[in-house]
Amino acid sequence: MESTTLSQSVESPSSEPITSKPVKIKEDCCDTELVAKDIKSRLSLVNSEHCDRKQTQSNGLGQMNGSCEPNASAELQTKSLETSHVNQQSDKEEGSSQTRRDSGIDYVSYTSELQMPDIMKLIQKDLSEPYSIYTYRYFIHNWPKLCFLAMDGKECVGAIVCKLDIHRKVTKRGYIAMLAVDIKYRKRRIGSNLVRRAIQVMIEDDADEVVLETEITNHSALRLYENLGFVRDKRLFRYYLNGVDALRLKLWLR
């Protein structure tokens, strides 16, 4: 607009007064006012659209007292997520504590010869062949940390006896020699918990595999070990003194 005014002033004769300047200035002022009003209206539309977008992004949760407050809604969502996470964590902790105790059952490691009579008394009830005290001492004294007891107060209601050594100078093999649970405490996963504890210690000692033998007719024992990942490796005919066949089960750890 200014360049047009200047070209007109240069081309007009010097003798004639310039009368177009005030008119042009008024038009410029009117145009300026119109442009300013148009800019204000556009700004108001942009602000309203921006507010609407914020309301849409906050899913309506941040609209409070007719204004857009997405930060408040975000804080509410964060608090609710934190509350749910704390509740889930507490549930997991309660579940793990129940697994450790199993309705009043404590799992302890072998600590002294005073526990030997309870272990022998419990295991001899279910074994198909008798073991001397020297057999128990061979396993327990050489691998005491692979012997665990399930205690209900002062009563021993479950026990597991294992060993861990080198098999054929190549494989580090764990062996479950004995596992017994009192008949009144069965079907409470006590046997599974004892086996898990023994296997965990074997894993910490870099065991490659775990094996055991059980009677082919002992379906409850087969089901327990197979649920823990053991597979049937070999059938041993007339393995026990009573003439019953045995199944060798194996669990590969590597």
Side-chain angles (χ1 to χ4, degrees), residues 40-162:
K40 289 180 180 179
S41 63
R42 288 178 181 273
L43 288 175
S44 63
L45 289 174
V46 170
N47 291 332
S48 63
E49 289 177 359
H50 184 63
C51 184
D52 292 337
R53 289 175 183 173
K54 288 185 177 180
Q55 291 177 353
T56 304
Q57 292 175 356
S58 61
N59 295 325
L61 296 175
Q63 187 175 2
M64 302 173 64
N65 297 325
S67 62
C68 293
E69 295 184 1
N71 292 332
S73 66
E75 291 177 358
L76 291 174
Q77 291 177 349
T78 303
K79 289 181 180 179
S80 63
L81 289 174
E82 290 177 353
T83 303
S84 62
H85 178 71
V86 170
N87 293 334
Q88 292 176 357
Q89 189 68 20
S90 62
D91 294 339
K92 290 181 180 179
E93 291 176 356
E94 290 177 359
S96 61
S97 63
Q98 291 177 359
T99 302
R100 286 193 297 269
R101 291 192 57 82
D102 189 20
S103 301
I105 303 299
D106 293 322
Y107 298 92
V108 298
S109 300
Y110 176 84
T111 55
S112 71
E113 185 78 12
L114 297 176
Q115 296 170 314
M116 188 72 72
D118 292 334
I119 297 173
M120 294 178 61
K121 180 181 177 181
L122 179 65
I123 293 177
Q124 286 175 353
K125 291 180 182 179
D126 300 321
L127 289 182
S128 56
E129 57 188 37
Y131 289 144
S132 67
I133 189 173
Y134 300 104
T135 304
Y136 290 94
R137 285 176 175 171
Y138 165 75
F139 286 102
I140 296 174
H141 288 180
N142 288 313
W143 299 276
K145 64 180 182 179
L146 291 178
C147 178
F148 292 92
L149 290 78
M151 305 295 296
D152 184 9
K154 295 183 179 180
E155 182 182 3
C156 179
V157 298
I160 187 170
V161 177
C162 309

Side-chain angles (χ1 to χ4, degrees), residues 199-219:
I199 292 176
Q200 182 60 40
V201 175
M202 295 178 188
I203 292 174
E204 293 173 357
D205 287 343
D206 299 325
D208 298 308
E209 60 186 22
V210 184
V211 299
L212 62 101
E213 292 91 19
T214 186
E215 292 182 358
I216 195 170
T217 56
N218 193 344
H219 301 293

Side-chain angles (χ1 to χ4, degrees), residues 1-12:
M1 294 174 64
E2 293 179 356
S3 62
T4 305
T5 305
L6 288 174
S7 63
Q8 290 178 354
S9 63
V10 172
E11 291 175 356
S12 59

Side-chain angles (χ1 to χ4, degrees), residues 150-214:
M151 305 295 296
D152 184 9
K154 295 183 179 180
E155 182 182 3
C156 179
V157 298
I160 187 170
V161 177
C162 309
K163 73 171 184 175
L164 178 64
D165 56 6
I166 303 298
H167 177 66
R168 294 181 180 177
K169 300 181 180 181
V170 176
T171 305
K172 197 169 187 179
R173 170 181 283 187
Y175 180 72
I176 299 177
M178 310 170 197
L179 173 66
V181 177
D182 191 289
I183 190 170
K184 297 180 296 184
Y185 290 84
R186 292 176 184 175
K187 296 184 179 180
R188 295 173 59 176
R189 305 188 68 81
I190 295 176
S192 299
N193 290 332
L194 288 169
V195 175
R196 287 193 184 96
R197 280 163 172 76
I199 292 176
Q200 182 60 40
V201 175
M202 295 178 188
I203 292 174
E204 293 173 357
D205 287 343
D206 299 325
D208 298 308
E209 60 186 22
V210 184
V211 299
L212 62 101
E213 292 91 19
T214 186

